[in-house]
Amino acid sequence: MRGVIYDGNAPRYVTDLEVRDPGPGEVLVGIRAAGLCHSDVSVVDGTIPFPVPVVLGHEGAGVVEAVGEGVSHVAPGDHVALSTLASCGTCAECDRGRPTMCRQAIGRPGRPFRRGGTRLYSFAANSAFAERTVVGAVQAVKIPADLPMASAALLGCGVLTGVGAVLNRARVGHGESVVVLGAGGIGLNVLQGARIAGATTIVAVDANPKKEAAARQFGATHFVDAVDGTGTTEAVRAVLPTGADHVFECVGSTRLIRQAVDLLDRHGQAVLLGVPPADAEASFLVSSMYLDKAILGCRYGSSRPQRDIALYAELYRTGRLLLDELVTRTYPVADFAEAVADAERGRVARGVLLF
């Protein structure tokens, strides 16, 4: 079985993976497409600590091949998008409709894979860079069979995180203003989330001016070129003199976290989506917070995947949510290294690996 693994030294494409059969409450999925997300690279560079050896990938779509005992919402042959939330469904957080906060879904990686005599961990309870993977039943969300797999794969992370941060966490309202720091895969989904929510002024900020066309396509009404790192605040203030209602930091830079706070209007919210190193610290002027400003963390778009993926699939089918436009390029899974190089050089909004 083909896949991409990381053993603590370097990521590698291999062809001799094995995966166990699904147990009770589990689903075996044949992966057809998997998006390359920055979080996968962050495991390799150490930004996200994770035990090794591990099968990478967490943004995938495929076809159900088998189901374990007790699984009834999907069946073999169904097309599914995968979430990373192996939530229990019974704890207090799940009962409140907050599966992203389920303690059973965080920090307990399983090892359903084997390579030779070695067991390998599943990344984000998902491992979509494997030809087949085993996930919890709650992670497999049935989607219409006419959704292109390369586009459907992005529902499980980039879209849930970006659009969800707007609709679920920030709850952006009609007529409000939004600034998005970083117009990569997550940032583009924040932009279209703001458009869907009815924001009227949507400012995209990025150090790569080539991203302006895509940013505007997804919903930006203005674009600020931050290529030299100076003058960004002034350029945004020229559009929003009193500041923004919502600023989303999508890069993972402590400097930009401070900038997000500084760009807020009274009663504004800074939403943190980028992932800096685990020990990173950010600073801000405490006095500024007494103008009813807020800093919000956001895990996985505060999503409820069984509900949200189905909603976003329908928005795609009615033309309100862009998915195909996110897929800049597809690659055979064997070309993983090339996909990473293109992503790191800013050549793609999302590269997608195909099996």
Side-chain angles (χ1 to χ4, degrees), residues 151-349:
S151 299
L154 307 187
L155 290 169
C157 180
V159 176
L160 275 182
T161 299
V163 178
V166 175
L167 302 183
N168 300 328
R169 187 64 169 131
R171 301 191 180 214
V172 172
H174 284 274
E176 293 187 326
S177 57
V178 170
V179 174
V180 181
L181 303 180
I186 298 299
L188 290 177
N189 281 298
V190 173
L191 290 168
Q192 70 172 332
R195 170 178 52 77
I196 291 168
T200 51
T201 304
I202 305 172
V203 183
V205 180
D206 200 279
N208 183 352
K210 293 181 180 179
K211 292 184 178 181
E212 179 174 359
R216 290 186 180 275
Q217 180 183 24
F218 277 76
T221 60
H222 300 76
F223 183 87
V224 170
D225 181 356
V227 65
D228 61 1
T230 62
T232 302
T233 298
E234 292 76 9
V236 174
R237 289 281 184 177
V239 180
L240 296 167
T242 63
D245 297 310
H246 309 273
V247 181
F248 295 82
E249 199 284 333
C250 303
V251 177
S253 160
T254 55
R255 178 183 65 83
L256 294 182
I257 290 172
R258 168 61 185 268
Q259 187 173 77
V261 175
D262 291 345
L263 286 171
L264 292 174
D265 197 354
R266 299 182 180 193
H267 202 67
Q269 299 181 136
V271 183
L272 309 186
L273 296 178
V275 182
D279 59 353
E281 297 183 359
S283 64
F284 57 90
L285 291 176
V286 176
S287 59
S288 71
M289 304 305 291
Y290 297 118
L291 294 173
D292 280 2
K293 296 182 182 182
I295 301 174
L296 304 181
C298 183
R299 181 171 189 260
Y300 203 42
S302 300
S303 297
R304 296 164 63 182
Q306 287 287 339
R307 177 199 68 177
D308 291 349
I309 288 178
L311 169 63
Y312 300 157
E314 186 58 28
L315 290 175
Y316 164 78
R317 296 179 82 190
T318 58
R320 296 180 62 193
L321 183 82
L322 304 182
L323 288 181
D324 302 338
E325 295 82 358
L326 285 168
V327 182
T328 311
R329 184 179 171 189
T330 59
Y331 308 79
V333 67
D335 292 345
F336 170 78
E338 183 181 357
V340 171
D342 284 347
E344 290 181 336
R345 292 168 184 159
R347 294 174 177 169
V348 293

Side-chain angles (χ1 to χ4, degrees), residues 60-131:
V63 178
V64 175
E65 295 190 359
V67 300
E69 182 183 351
V71 178
S72 59
H73 75 291
V74 293
D78 285 344
H79 288 211
V80 292
L82 303 183
S83 86
T84 67
L85 288 181
S87 48
C88 71
T90 59
C91 69
E93 296 296 345
C94 286
D95 189 54
R96 294 186 184 108
R98 302 172 185 165
T100 57
M101 294 296 105
C102 174
R103 286 174 171 79
Q104 298 296 321
I106 303 174
R108 299 187 181 189
R111 291 194 288 178
F113 298 97
R114 281 189 176 275
R115 183 169 183 255
T118 302
R119 296 173 67 194
L120 290 83
Y121 286 98
S122 176
F123 177 53
N126 190 307
S127 289
F129 291 169
E131 197 165 356

